[in-house]
């Protein structure tokens, strides 16, 4: 086993709508959007129409971004995150009940060079903010808003692809427009989803749920404490993709009596980075304290609130040289 160094950045950005040029620099510095180039580009006006139909609150920010990006084939579609090439990650999520209020803890499992390492704070147009792990430029993999609504994703286990939006933009939409689990669920039901994704939700009132989204539709499990990389139907053969059953059963049996330290241990913590299944960070999102706590092995941590200054970290991550099926 050896180690690679992974860089992480916490960045504070101004409001996107009024500062699109700054966002352009931020996005082009941390992401190569050409990697997300759609295989079958649609016209600029079609991409805007899809966003206007399903997530109209994001349209002003989208238009601001579009105005400062190069006018290239597929650019509007890339920024709308509509019908883009799919990506498949791992991840484990659980609600923690060890405190006097629930928190949301999760591991993000992916390839070590396939995640930008950006953690971001941004103000919202009508006041408030989002703090979260950024992806696809202006999207999020998980995060918290000023209302105390937390959201985090895992891959849902099916490789079926449909017409729809990529999950990082959907998470952005939920955190930008919803205050409660019920509001978030309503929005998730109204959006076409590109892939099978599981979304863990938790709000300030302590309500929590897992939303199973896919191109076929959305199912909600209110009060479900955890999710991994399958949905309601458990895989039939073996453990399924990346030991999803082993991880789910472990979390389910813990019944919320779990901490971030537990996520740094097997079977939740993974080092198969070359198979896009290595734990890049553990994060605990606390709606009550309005804080987001990132954890790595050997006690390395970063706590982020709406007042936190920018920061940069370099974290050693141990990798498995000869990966195989766990």
């Amino acid at each position: 086993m050896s180690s690679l160094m992974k860089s992480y950045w916490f960045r504070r950005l101004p409001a996107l709508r009024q500062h699109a040029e700054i966002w352009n620099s931020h996005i082009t510095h941390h992401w190569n959007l050409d990697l997300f180039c759609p295989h079958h580009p649609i016209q600029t006006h079609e991409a805007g129409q899809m966003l206007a139909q399903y997530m109209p609150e994001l349209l002003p920010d989208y238009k601001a971004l579009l105005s400062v990006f190069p006018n290239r084939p597929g650019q509007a579609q890339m920024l709308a995150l509509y019908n883009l090439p799919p990506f498949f990650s791992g991840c484990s999520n659980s609600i923690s009940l060890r405190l006097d209020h629930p928190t949301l803890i999760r591991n993000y499992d992916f390839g070590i060079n396939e995640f930008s390492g950006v953690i971001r704070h941004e103000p919202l147009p009508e006041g408030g903010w989002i703090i979260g792990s950024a992806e696809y430029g202006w999207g999020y993999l998980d995060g918290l808003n000023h209302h105390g609504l937390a959201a985090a994703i895992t891959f849902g286990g099916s490789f079926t692809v449909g017409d729809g939006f990529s999950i990082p933009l959907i998470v952005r939409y939920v955190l930008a427009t919803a205050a409660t689990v019920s509001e978030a669920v309503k929005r998730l039901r109204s959006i076409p989803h590109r892939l099978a994704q599981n979304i863990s939700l938790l709000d300030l009132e302590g309500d929590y749920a897992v939303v199973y989204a896919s191109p076929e539709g959305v199912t909600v499990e209110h009060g479900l404490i955890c999710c991994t990389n399958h949905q309601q139907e458990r895989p039939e053969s073996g453990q399924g993709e990346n030991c999803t059953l082993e991880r789910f059963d472990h979390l389910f049996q813990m019944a919320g009596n779990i901490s971030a330290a537990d996520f740094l241990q097997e079977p939740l913590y993974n080092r198969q980075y070359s198979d896009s299944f290595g734990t890049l960070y553990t994060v605990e999102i606390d709606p009550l304290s309005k804080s987001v706590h990132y954890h790595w092995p050997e006690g390395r941590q970063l706590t982020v609130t709406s007042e936190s200054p920018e920061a940069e970290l370099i974290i050693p991550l141990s990798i498995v040289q000869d990966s195989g099926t766990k």
Side-chain angles (χ1 to χ4, degrees), residues 309-324:
E310 292 191 333
E312 297 184 13
L313 302 88
I314 299 178
I315 304 293
L317 296 173
S318 298
I319 63 172
V320 174
Q321 297 284 22
D322 297 314
S323 60

Side-chain angles (χ1 to χ4, degrees), residues 34 37 72 117 199 226 238 279 316:
D34 289 339
C37 187
R72 298 181 297 179
I199 305 100
C226 61
T279 300

Side-chain angles (χ1 to χ4, degrees), residues 57-98:
E57 295 90 338
L58 298 188
L59 200 58
D61 287 344
Y62 169 74
K63 289 181 176 179
L65 269 184
L66 196 59
S67 71
V68 298
F69 271 80
N71 185 16
R72 298 181 297 179
Q75 186 72 59
Q77 187 176 349
M78 280 190 283
L79 291 175
L81 274 67
Y82 184 76
N83 278 5
L84 299 190
F87 76 98
F88 307 100
S89 61
C91 313
S92 303
N93 297 354
S94 181
I95 300 298
S96 174
L97 303 174
R98 75 188 190 286

Side-chain angles (χ1 to χ4, degrees), residues 42-316:
I42 61 177
Q43 297 297 316
T44 296
H45 74 277
E46 293 179 90
Q49 285 173 352
M50 295 305 296
L51 204 61
Q53 179 177 353
Y54 293 105
M55 293 182 275
E57 295 90 338
L58 298 188
L59 200 58
D61 287 344
Y62 169 74
K63 289 181 176 179
L65 269 184
L66 196 59
S67 71
V68 298
F69 271 80
N71 185 16
R72 298 181 297 179
Q75 186 72 59
Q77 187 176 349
M78 280 190 283
L79 291 175
L81 274 67
Y82 184 76
N83 278 5
L84 299 190
F87 76 98
F88 307 100
S89 61
C91 313
S92 303
N93 297 354
S94 181
I95 300 298
S96 174
L97 303 174
R98 75 188 190 286
L99 306 176
D100 59 357
H101 62 279
T103 61
L104 172 57
I105 311 180
R106 70 85 134 255
N107 277 357
Y108 183 61
D109 300 326
F110 205 36
I112 199 166
N113 296 317
E114 299 169 270
F115 172 57
S116 66
V118 174
I119 301 159
R120 187 168 58 216
H121 171 279
E122 66 164 300
L124 295 173
E126 307 301 325
W129 43 262
I130 296 173
I131 296 172
S133 308
E135 186 56 280
Y136 273 53
W138 64 313
Y140 291 93
L141 299 165
D142 49 64
L144 174 73
N145 68 17
H146 60 290
H147 295 294
L149 176 66
I153 67 167
T154 77
F155 170 50
S158 170
F159 295 94
T160 301
V161 176
D163 290 332
F165 294 94
S166 298
I167 193 65
L169 191 66
I170 295 172
V171 173
R172 177 189 181 85
Y173 178 58
V174 166
L175 293 176
T177 62
T180 65
V181 167
S182 61
E183 290 177 0
V185 166
K186 182 178 179 181
R187 284 155 178 75
L188 290 167
R189 288 188 185 279
S190 70
I191 300 168
H193 295 262
R194 180 71 163 154
L195 298 174
Q197 301 282 356
N198 307 330
I199 305 100
S200 293
L201 299 168
L202 170 66
D203 64 24
L204 189 60
E205 298 302 315
D207 188 18
Y208 56 88
V210 170
V211 176
Y212 294 130
S214 75
E216 288 75 38
V218 168
T219 302
V220 182
E221 293 279 0
H222 289 283
L224 181 60
I225 207 159
C226 61
C227 62
T228 51
N229 301 130
H230 62 280
Q231 299 194 331
Q232 289 173 305
E233 186 173 340
R234 293 165 67 93
E236 294 180 359
S237 60
Q239 287 293 307
E241 187 70 17
N242 290 323
C243 301
T244 180
L245 293 182
E246 179 185 358
R247 290 180 286 120
F248 179 89
D249 291 343
H250 176 79
L251 289 170
F252 192 79
Q253 290 166 12
M254 295 290 284
N257 184 25
I258 196 164
S259 69
D262 296 310
F263 273 77
L264 296 173
Q265 307 295 325
E266 293 185 353
L268 304 177
Y269 194 85
N270 297 285
R271 294 182 172 88
Q272 296 167 258
Y273 297 99
S274 61
D275 292 338
S276 295
F277 190 56
T279 300
L280 293 166
Y281 62 83
T282 299
V283 63
E284 181 167 17
I285 306 173
D286 189 335
L288 189 62
S289 66
K290 303 290 178 65
S291 59
V292 182
H293 306 265
Y294 289 86
H295 299 258
W296 295 273
E298 300 181 17
R300 295 173 175 87
Q301 298 184 28
L302 174 67
T303 299
V304 179
T305 71
S306 61
E307 305 299 324
S308 296
E310 292 191 333
E312 297 184 13
L313 302 88
I314 299 178
I315 304 293

